[in-house]
Structures are given as C-alpha cells and as structure tokens.
Amino acid sequence: MKGEPIEAVNVGLQSLLSALRQNPYALDSVYLSIFTFDSEIKNILPLTALEDVTLPTVSTPDSGPTFLGKMLEELASAVQKERILGSTNQKGDWRPILILLTDGKPSDVMAYNNAIPLIKSLNFGNIVACAAGPKADPNILKKLTDTVVSLDTMDLNSFAQFFQWVSASVAQTSISVGAPTSNSLPPPPDEINIVL
C-alpha cells in the first residue's frame, strides 16, 4: 500500500483518534496499539491510553511479502502479556477489539492458518477485518472472523467511511460493555460492502 491509500489510512487513523477522544466512555476505557506487517512486523504504537496517544505515520514498502500470520502471532503474544484478566482481587480489562486492515493476501499461509485458533482463543470482543482493494481476498479473512469489510477502492472517501464506522463501533462497545449486546457492531455505511 503506497501513495493515496496509505495517506488515506493515516488520515483515517487521525479521524478515529479524534472521534474517540470526544467520547467520555472511550476516554476512560480505550487503549490503542498499532502493528504494521509486510516483510517485517513492527509495533509502531505500543499499547497506550487514548489520552496519551500520539499517532505515528504509517508507512509501508512499495512491495514485498505480507506476513499476516507472523503479525497475528506477535499480536497474540502482546495481548497475552499486556491484558489484565479479572480476578477476585482485581478488576480486569475489557475484551479487546482487533481491527485488521490489509490490501493483500498472507504470504505465510501456514503461519496464518496456525495463528487463527490462537487469536480466537484470546476472546476478543470483536474482530473486524478489512480487505482493501482488488488484491485482498475477503475469503481468507473470513477464516479469522465473520465480520469482513471489503473496500473496492482505496481512496480517501472509502477509508474515511471505514474509520467512521470503526470509531462508532468502538464507542458503542465502550458504552455497552457488560451488557448482553456488548459485542454487536452498528451496521456499516451503505457504501461499504460487508462480506458474510
């Protein structure tokens, strides 16, 4: 992903951060972490309280492998280390939400398939995957989650709508945590095709 698409992702992340910071429930409960994945896996934003987040600029190489499986393994490791589970002595974290955005297919298919049960065992509140552009395969992402958004175009408008939907989903989840519908998502914008 390069050029306008990656610029649109950076603008979308800024919009997401701005929208979440306007929500008092999100300010009390949301921590963000951002991983990038290509030939290298980078945690460009370690888990940070929403009020303290300074977004890095996301950049990617012009081409190369997409190590989605390796990224999921590293993400799982981070969640296992950083998540505070509730007990009789302490209040635990809310269930995390995973938002996965890719414009390609996993180069490490075996690692990807092996990481799926690990990710599912971590009991995420929601897992949303976005297949952006013509090279992304929503069917591969459906192995990880039923909530797969397909963007036919990777322009500023498409990413803006996706990130608006994500911020509404996160805000709704932070408000309704503990309620029976805490893992339901609002419907996506009409212009984004949900593949189920």
Side-chain angles (χ1 to χ4, degrees):
M1 193 180 294
K2 60 182 177 179
E4 183 184 358
I6 199 67
E7 290 174 23
V9 168
N10 282 301
V11 169
L13 286 171
Q14 287 291 346
S15 297
L16 172 67
L17 182 61
S18 177
L20 291 175
R21 283 184 169 160
Q22 294 175 27
N23 180 315
Y25 295 104
L27 278 172
D28 283 344
S29 60
V30 173
Y31 283 68
L32 294 179
S33 179
I34 300 174
F35 285 81
T36 60
F37 57 100
D38 44 62
S39 60
E40 294 181 70
I41 312 314
K42 297 176 188 167
N43 186 353
I44 62 170
L45 177 65
L47 192 63
T48 305
L50 184 61
E51 64 191 24
D52 298 328
V53 169
T54 300
L55 284 176
T57 300
V58 177
S59 62
T60 58
D62 290 345
S63 64
T66 303
F67 289 141
L68 180 53
K70 177 75 172 148
M71 186 279 303
L72 290 175
E73 291 169 2
E74 292 199 23
L75 172 71
S77 177
V79 169
Q80 290 169 331
K81 286 180 202 168
E82 296 167 349
R83 186 174 182 192
I84 299 170
L85 297 176
S87 70
T88 55
N89 298 330
Q90 73 178 357
K91 182 180 176 185
D93 290 337
W94 293 353
R95 293 168 51 199
I97 299 170
L98 172 59
I99 311 295
L100 173 66
L101 174 64
T102 184
D103 69 343
K105 300 173 187 161
S107 302
D108 55 347
V109 175
M110 182 180 281
Y112 174 70
N113 289 331
N114 289 338
I116 290 171
L118 175 60
I119 292 295
K120 289 184 176 185
S121 75
L122 294 175
N123 198 24
F124 280 86
N126 284 308
I127 299 174
V128 175
C130 177
K135 294 182 182 177
D137 185 350
N139 293 318
I140 291 173
L141 297 174
K142 283 188 64 73
K143 293 179 180 180
L144 178 65
T145 179
D146 289 333
T147 309
V148 178
V149 176
S150 291
L151 299 179
D152 293 332
T153 59
M154 297 192 298
D155 59 13
L156 188 57
N157 186 48
S158 295
F159 281 116
Q161 291 176 0
F162 173 71
F163 281 109
Q164 285 173 346
W165 178 69
V166 167
S167 64
S169 301
V170 172
Q172 179 179 340
T173 302
S174 67
I175 291 169
S176 63
V177 126
T181 60
S182 66
N183 63 353
S184 63
L185 295 173
D190 293 337
E191 294 80 6
I192 296 177
N193 178 33
I194 296 294
V195 180
L196 297 176

